[in-house]
Amino acid sequence: MKDVYTFADLRDWRAATGDEKPPLRLSVFGDPVAHSASPPMHNAALEKCEIDARYCRLHIRADELESALRLLPQAGFIGANVTIPHKTAVLPVLDEVDDHARKIGAVNTVVVDGEKLIGFNTDGPGIVRAIRAEFGVDLHDLRVLILGAGGGAGRAIAVQCALENCERLVLANRTLDKAQALADELAPYFKSPRVLGPVARLEAVALDIDAIKRQLPNIDIIINATPLGMSPEQLRHSSFDIRHLPLLPHLLVYDTIYTAHRTPLLQATDDAGARGANGLSMLLHQGALSFEIWFNREAPLEEMRAALLASRV
Ligand code: NAP
């Protein structure tokens, strides 16, 4: 199996992959895609469940997306994941999109059903399971602050918080307009006054240490959905220094970054005596949910987790 296949390979899939045993019948579509940890995770699950299929990476550019998806039935695919930058662009191409994915406005899982392509989103439900697994609490019961609410991951998490009817939601973003637009969109979910006290249930704020400091007494969990902390360069070039958040010991901190190193935010969490977890569990649970959609059976979580841990850099 190659590390990455292309659209040209998909056009003649049997010639490109004919000798592969088990056959390649699942993939992740992305651009770039070489970094994706989904193949080792899903291949561990397929092997454990003795399913005669394997999962690969497909480098698909934006202008190839529709044609590539339409090739999946004839190439014998069971389904696919879609990642950056296709999660929103894929919606109009699909024959059906489930309600939940439509509300999130993004699809990360496609099922091939005969000639039909059906879209789902497991990123939102994945974070619900991840938070429950890491901290033993439900998003529904929490006052949540999302850093980077203007991006793809931040949006999926924010919409999921709204659908879960979480206690309180604060959307922080470098580009405040994006967080404000999302807050306006989600306002109908936060009409009832669940919280007693002076704070609003739903707010958009700038990604600024002082603005966030004012929010923290009324927050239970911080979810970082920015890439800040993935590499030292990113921290050097950002005016927002995530290492200097004035964290309090009562806080839960979930960093969606899933690199092997303890991120600067999680180091600061440890220093403050608060509880932190990284994004590996979100990646794991969104993958497990995709597997459950494709095969209508429980996913082997421990094998998937071990494969992710082994493949992480
Ligand atoms: P994205 O769509 O590009 O969004 C990036 C977000 O971060 C935006 O809100 C952006 O703000 C903000 N941002 C980017 N650079 C910044 C900087 N230098 N200073 C302040 N804010 C900055 O990216 P994404 O796909 O949502 O991914 C974001 C993070 O989530 C990545 O670290 C990725 O690894 C992680 N992720 C994890 C999982 C998982 O399963 N664990 C899944 C998906 C993503 P603006 O709106 O102002 O540009």
Side-chain angles (χ1 to χ4, degrees):
M1 184 165 92
K2 288 202 277 186
D3 272 354
V4 179
Y5 291 86
T6 63
F7 180 52
D9 293 323
L10 188 58
R11 289 169 83 162
D12 198 353
W13 197 235
R14 294 195 210 286
T17 67
D19 296 336
E20 293 290 343
K21 296 252 177 313
L24 306 188
R25 301 184 63 205
L26 287 159
S27 82
V28 53
F29 279 35
D31 179 18
V33 75
H35 66 281
S36 172
S38 292
M41 171 173 65
H42 280 293
N43 284 327
L46 294 165
E47 199 176 318
K48 170 74 182 169
C49 297
E50 297 181 358
I51 295 169
D52 190 34
R54 263 194 305 168
Y55 185 115
C56 63
R57 299 182 186 89
L58 265 163
H59 181 212
I60 301 294
R61 296 177 213 282
D63 61 350
E64 300 165 340
L65 179 64
E66 179 163 4
S67 312
L69 284 164
R70 287 288 154 212
L71 288 168
L72 292 181
Q74 71 179 63
F77 273 67
I78 295 161
N81 286 128
V82 285
T83 187
I84 292 171
H86 304 315
K87 287 187 184 185
T88 304
V90 75
L91 263 89
V93 179
L94 300 170
D95 301 298
E96 284 175 31
V97 175
D98 100 320
D99 273 358
H100 190 84
R102 206 169 277 293
K103 281 184 183 138
I104 289 187
V107 159
N108 76 331
T109 304
V110 175
V111 171
V112 178
D113 180 11
E115 289 299 310
K116 257 194 342 195
L117 301 172
I118 308 171
F120 298 85
N121 186 304
T122 68
D123 287 329
I127 187 116
V128 175
R129 284 198 190 182
I131 299 286
R132 198 178 294 139
E134 298 285 4
F135 302 120
V137 289
D138 283 320
L139 266 185
H140 169 78
D141 296 320
L142 298 176
R143 297 169 298 173
V144 182
L145 166 64
I146 300 176
L147 310 176
R155 182 191 159 82
I157 295 166
V159 178
Q160 192 66 38
C161 288
L163 295 172
E164 299 291 315
N165 193 20
C166 73
E167 190 87 16
R168 178 165 191 253
L169 181 60
V170 178
L171 306 172
N173 204 46
R174 177 177 60 181
T175 314
L176 179 57
D177 286 356
K178 285 201 222 165
Q180 189 57 59
L182 184 56
D184 293 345
E185 184 186 332
L186 299 181
Y189 293 94
F190 290 91
K191 287 237 184 299
S192 61
R194 279 187 65 182
V195 179
L196 297 176
V199 289
R201 278 195 69 198
L202 176 65
E203 276 189 65
V205 300
L207 192 69
D208 164 278
I209 294 286
D210 288 334
I212 287 169
K213 190 174 177 182
R214 282 194 290 278
Q215 294 293 336
L216 290 188
N218 297 295
I219 290 297
D220 303 307
I221 185 167
I222 300 176
I223 302 179
N224 176 38
T226 74
L228 292 172
M230 272 177 102
S231 69
E233 283 78 64
Q234 250 150 350
L235 287 183
R236 268 198 292 279
H237 294 124
S238 178
S239 56
F240 175 73
D241 194 337
I242 204 160
R243 294 167 296 190
H244 292 148
L245 276 178
L247 297 172
L248 307 167
H250 80 274
L251 285 166
L252 306 175
V253 177
Y254 191 85
D255 197 338
T256 65
I257 296 172
Y258 50 82
T259 46
H261 67 270
R262 196 89 177 142
T263 62
L265 175 60
L266 291 177
Q267 287 171 22
T269 304
D270 296 341
D271 293 345
R275 289 168 69 198
N278 80 11
L280 190 106
S281 47
M282 180 178 167
L283 185 65
L284 172 69
H285 286 287
Q286 64 76 30
L289 285 158
S290 295
F291 186 93
E292 289 171 19
I293 290 171
W294 291 322
F295 298 109
N296 196 24
R297 63 185 285 180
E298 211 173 306
L301 276 183
E302 287 324 309
E303 283 74 12
M304 295 171 85
R305 188 196 314 275
L308 277 181
L309 285 169
S311 70
R312 237 172 20 159
V313 284

